[in-house]
Amino acid sequence: MTTQPVRIEHSGPKTASVVTDLPFKPQLVKAVFRDVTSLHVSRPAAWAAASVTQTVLTEVIDGARNAAAEEARKRLIPKDLISAIDRNVEVEVGSTWYLHSPTFHGLMGEVRYADGPPLSLRERRGARTPSGVAGAHRFEAGVRRLLGSRGVRAVPAMVRDLDGIASVFLTDLARDAAKVVREGGVKRFGTVSLVVPGEPAPAPLLKDSLLALSTRRGDRRTVGRDDVLAAVTMQLFGDLRQRAITEAAEMTRNTSAN
């Protein structure tokens, strides 16, 4: 039997060891932030954004894994992604990517000009490729690592879609975090209400922990951890939002906000 080398763990803050296990590294997160803002990004903010992205992609992959399991497959294919989104509206994130992926062509519906003619796919995408789409390839290593941790593999087309969704989601999260800094707080929350036909829609309820993120404290030059968590309230909703915030806050609890 081959003797395995003993791995020595150095003592230090609990957060440090957790961060090394994140599939999306803080350095990658900061690179995405640099694409959309010149603001400084604190280490806790980068760790929080990496944690949130991991939570979201894990939920997407688990949904796709469940769809594949129904056909006794462990190798994910693009139709599993569509099934995951159809079954759980909370994971419909990074939607800009859908216009750029063959997986979603024909599923987006037809968009027309006011006078009738349909918009071409090129027109719907826009003249400039969003940075989240252009930089999607940077997420491949993290996506493959996350797939392995969930006990599944994926065909290249599925990996490409997961790369794109992760990249576009994190880019949107970075933009909203920078907006929180500039505006001094959250001006809107992402919400979806499920109603019974014929009955009035329920009043939206936000927990105190989410409302606390709506007012910002700190300088206007640095994106802090709480700015990222506030941006999560704009990007996500439901149980996924609460879990993403809780997991990111737990991971960074031993660090300061900036």
Side-chain angles (χ1 to χ4, degrees), residues 54-160:
Q54 175 180 342
T55 300
V56 169
L57 261 290
T58 297
E59 189 76 4
V60 173
I61 290 171
D62 284 351
R65 181 181 63 178
N66 291 338
E70 294 175 0
E71 299 180 6
R73 285 186 287 102
K74 286 192 175 182
R75 193 174 179 87
L76 306 186
I77 59 178
K79 78 171 185 177
D80 299 326
L81 175 58
I82 294 174
S83 294
I85 294 172
D86 283 345
R87 297 176 184 184
N88 183 1
V89 69
E90 292 182 14
V91 301
E92 191 174 334
V93 297
S95 56
T96 305
W97 174 254
Y98 303 158
L99 290 175
H100 294 263
S101 168
T103 298
F104 297 92
H105 290 180
L107 300 176
M108 301 294 291
E110 191 174 68
V111 179
R112 292 177 173 271
Y113 287 107
D115 57 356
L119 273 69
S120 68
L121 182 59
R122 186 179 187 87
E123 290 171 317
R124 291 169 65 183
R125 286 176 174 175
R128 179 179 176 274
T129 301
S131 58
V133 172
H137 63 280
R138 296 180 293 185
F139 287 75
E140 182 174 348
V143 165
R144 290 190 181 279
R145 184 177 176 186
L146 196 53
L147 284 165
S149 73
R150 310 310 292 175
V152 293
R153 296 179 298 160
V155 299
M158 180 67 169
V159 174
R160 176 204 61 212

Side-chain angles (χ1 to χ4, degrees), residues 111-219:
V111 179
R112 292 177 173 271
Y113 287 107
D115 57 356
L119 273 69
S120 68
L121 182 59
R122 186 179 187 87
E123 290 171 317
R124 291 169 65 183
R125 286 176 174 175
R128 179 179 176 274
T129 301
S131 58
V133 172
H137 63 280
R138 296 180 293 185
F139 287 75
E140 182 174 348
V143 165
R144 290 190 181 279
R145 184 177 176 186
L146 196 53
L147 284 165
S149 73
R150 310 310 292 175
V152 293
R153 296 179 298 160
V155 299
M158 180 67 169
V159 174
R160 176 204 61 212
D161 281 330
L162 293 172
D163 289 352
I165 289 172
S167 183
V168 170
F169 169 76
L170 183 53
T171 299
D172 290 343
L173 187 69
R175 287 197 181 104
D176 279 346
K179 187 175 182 180
V180 169
V181 175
R182 291 194 304 270
E183 296 184 355
V186 178
K187 304 303 180 185
R188 62 181 175 84
F189 290 91
T191 58
V192 170
S193 297
L194 301 179
V195 300
V196 177
E199 295 185 5
L205 297 175
L206 288 174
K207 295 184 178 180
D208 291 343
S209 59
L210 299 184
L211 289 173
L213 294 170
S214 63
T215 302
R216 183 179 189 274
R217 296 178 295 274
D219 67 62

Side-chain angles (χ1 to χ4, degrees), residues 211-233:
L211 289 173
L213 294 170
S214 63
T215 302
R216 183 179 189 274
R217 296 178 295 274
D219 67 62
R220 295 294 181 90
R221 299 181 300 277
T222 301
V223 177
R225 184 203 68 168
D226 286 351
D227 299 320
V228 172
L229 299 185
V232 174
T233 68

